């Protein structure tokens, strides 16, 4: 019995050693598995970022300037030189005179790349601006949205054209042509919006107002006929206001007329009795 007991203990020890060797071998196998290097994934992400197309910003620039000058003609000549240098164009030119100033208003279209230079050229010699508003509106998102919608409509039009070539029934042909005409109108509308947006982006609008202060006697003088006409209009408006005020108290007027009628009628009866 003792021999059997010792043999069983010996076999248990051998089995335990074999299991520990197996676990060591498995751990060595796991540690031997190599993970993929991180540099490959990093370089892949860099390649993705480099391959992504860069979107050009679409910015609408506008400016409003107002300032005083000692000589309107010299200031206008300076603006004309800035227009020629910046390859701009004057689309509106107006001038006038009021009670205390002589002024001139200009609206100029400037290529966006020359906008800052044009503003600097105009600002030379100006002591201060009464108004100087410069704005920049980013319409990149709107431009991308319109472009994607336009491309979608064009692809849809191509599909309808392909279906139209395969159609045989007159009803089908008419229905497809109707859908194509609707899509074509939407495409033209989107193209018009894109052209308008692109024109505002490519050319900036600058509004310039400059004036010269003058004495009151040199200002605009009102003629005698204008004074008479003004007086006539004033009298007409006064009469209108009086009539409107009478209309607003019409209940009191009716009551007064009714009372006057009965009082007069009563006096007549008294005269007849006497």
């Amino acid at each position: 019995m003792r021999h059997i007991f010792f043999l069983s203990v010996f076999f248990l020890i051998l089995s335990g050693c074999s299991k520990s060797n197996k676990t060591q071998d498995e751990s060595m196998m796991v540690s031997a598995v190599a993970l993929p290097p991180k540099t490959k994934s990093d370089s892949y992400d860099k390649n993705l970022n480099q391959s992504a197309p860069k979107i050009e910003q679409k910015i609408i620039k506008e400016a409003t300037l107002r300032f005083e000058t000692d000589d309107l003609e010299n200031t206008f000549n300076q603006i004309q030189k800035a227009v020629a240098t910046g390859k701009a164009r004057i689309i509106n030119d107006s001038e006038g005179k009021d009670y205390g100033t002589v002024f001139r208003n200009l609206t100029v279209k400037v290529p966006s790349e020359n906008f800052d230079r044009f503003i600097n050229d105009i600002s030379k010699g100006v002591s201060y601006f009464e108004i100087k508003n410069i704005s920049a509106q980013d319409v990149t998102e709107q431009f991308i949205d319109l472009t994607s919608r336009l491309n979608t409509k064009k692809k849809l039009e191509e599909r309808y054209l392909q279906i139209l070539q395969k159609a045989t029934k007159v009803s089908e042909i008419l229905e497809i042509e109707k859908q194509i005409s609707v899509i074509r109108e939407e495409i033209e509308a989107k193209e018009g919006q894109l052209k308008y947006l692109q024109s505002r982006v490519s050319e900036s609008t600058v509004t310039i107002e400059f004036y010269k202060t003058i004495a009151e006697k040199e200002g605009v003088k009102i003629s005698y006929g204008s004074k008479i006409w003004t007086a006539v209009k004033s009298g007409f408006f006064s009469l209108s206001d009086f009539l409107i005020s009478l209309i607003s108290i019409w209940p009191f007027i009716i009551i007064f007329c009714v009372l006057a009628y009965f009082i007069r009628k009563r006096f007549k009866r008294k005269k007849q009795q006497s």
Side-chain angles (χ1 to χ4, degrees), residues 139-194:
V139 293
T140 307
E141 186 176 354
Q142 184 179 355
F143 194 89
I144 293 171
D145 181 63
L146 280 173
T147 304
S148 62
R149 289 175 184 272
L150 179 62
N151 292 334
T152 303
K153 292 296 181 181
K154 286 183 176 181
K155 290 179 182 179
L156 184 61
E157 184 186 28
E158 290 178 0
R159 291 178 185 175
Y160 270 108
L161 289 173
Q162 292 174 0
I163 296 172
L164 181 63
Q165 292 177 356
K166 298 178 182 179
T168 56
K169 296 182 180 179
V170 177
S171 59
E172 292 178 353
I173 293 172
L174 293 176
E175 183 63 27
I176 294 170
E177 288 180 347
K178 181 181 178 181
Q179 295 295 329
I180 291 173
S181 64
V182 172
I183 296 170
R184 173 47 50 185
E185 289 179 0
E186 294 177 354
I187 289 174
E188 291 176 355
K190 293 287 187 296
E191 288 176 344
Q193 292 175 5
L194 276 175

Side-chain angles (χ1 to χ4, degrees), residues 199-258:
S199 65
R200 293 189 65 191
V201 169
S202 60
E203 280 191 326
S204 303
T205 304
V206 181
T207 304
I208 308 167
E209 180 182 354
F210 53 99
Y211 67 93
K212 178 184 177 182
T213 304
I214 57 175
E216 286 188 17
K217 63 181 181 180
E218 296 179 9
V220 176
K221 295 182 180 180
I222 301 176
S223 63
Y224 186 71
S226 299
K227 290 180 179 180
I228 294 174
W229 177 243
T230 303
V232 171
K233 289 194 294 183
S234 177
F236 176 75
F237 291 136
S238 298
L239 179 61
S240 300
D241 293 337
F242 177 72
L243 292 175
I244 291 171
S245 63
L246 288 178
I247 293 171
S248 63
I249 60 171
W250 64 269
F252 300 99
I253 295 174
I254 293 174
I255 293 171
F256 177 77
C257 293
V258 171

Side-chain angles (χ1 to χ4, degrees), residues 27-166:
S27 64
M28 291 176 65
M29 290 174 65
V30 171
S31 62
V33 177
L35 294 173
K38 294 181 179 180
T39 55
K40 290 183 180 180
S41 61
D42 295 338
S43 62
Y44 180 71
D45 293 338
K46 289 180 180 178
N47 291 332
L48 280 177
N49 293 331
Q50 290 177 358
S51 62
K54 294 183 179 180
I55 299 172
E56 182 183 357
Q57 278 191 323
K58 304 292 182 180
I59 298 176
I60 298 174
K61 297 180 181 179
E62 293 180 344
T64 302
L65 307 175
R66 187 176 190 271
F67 58 90
E68 185 178 3
T69 181
D70 296 331
D71 194 329
L72 292 176
E73 194 64 29
N74 289 338
T75 302
F76 180 69
N77 292 334
Q78 180 182 345
I79 294 173
Q80 279 187 319
K81 290 179 182 179
V83 167
T85 304
K87 297 180 181 179
R89 55 194 177 92
I90 299 174
I91 63 172
N92 188 21
D93 183 2
S94 61
E95 55 185 344
K97 180 188 291 186
D98 57 19
Y99 292 103
T101 60
V102 179
F103 59 87
R104 190 164 189 173
N105 296 331
L106 301 174
T107 304
V108 184
K109 288 288 186 180
V110 187
S112 297
E113 61 271 15
N114 300 331
F115 178 79
D116 296 331
R117 181 181 178 182
F118 181 76
I119 297 297
N120 292 332
D121 291 341
I122 293 175
S123 301
K124 293 178 181 178
V126 179
S127 57
Y128 70 94
F129 288 92
E130 291 186 8
I131 297 174
K132 187 176 183 179
N133 294 330
I134 297 175
S135 63
Q137 181 184 0
D138 192 349
V139 293
T140 307
E141 186 176 354
Q142 184 179 355
F143 194 89
I144 293 171
D145 181 63
L146 280 173
T147 304
S148 62
R149 289 175 184 272
L150 179 62
N151 292 334
T152 303
K153 292 296 181 181
K154 286 183 176 181
K155 290 179 182 179
L156 184 61
E157 184 186 28
E158 290 178 0
R159 291 178 185 175
Y160 270 108
L161 289 173
Q162 292 174 0
I163 296 172
L164 181 63
Q165 292 177 356
K166 298 178 182 179

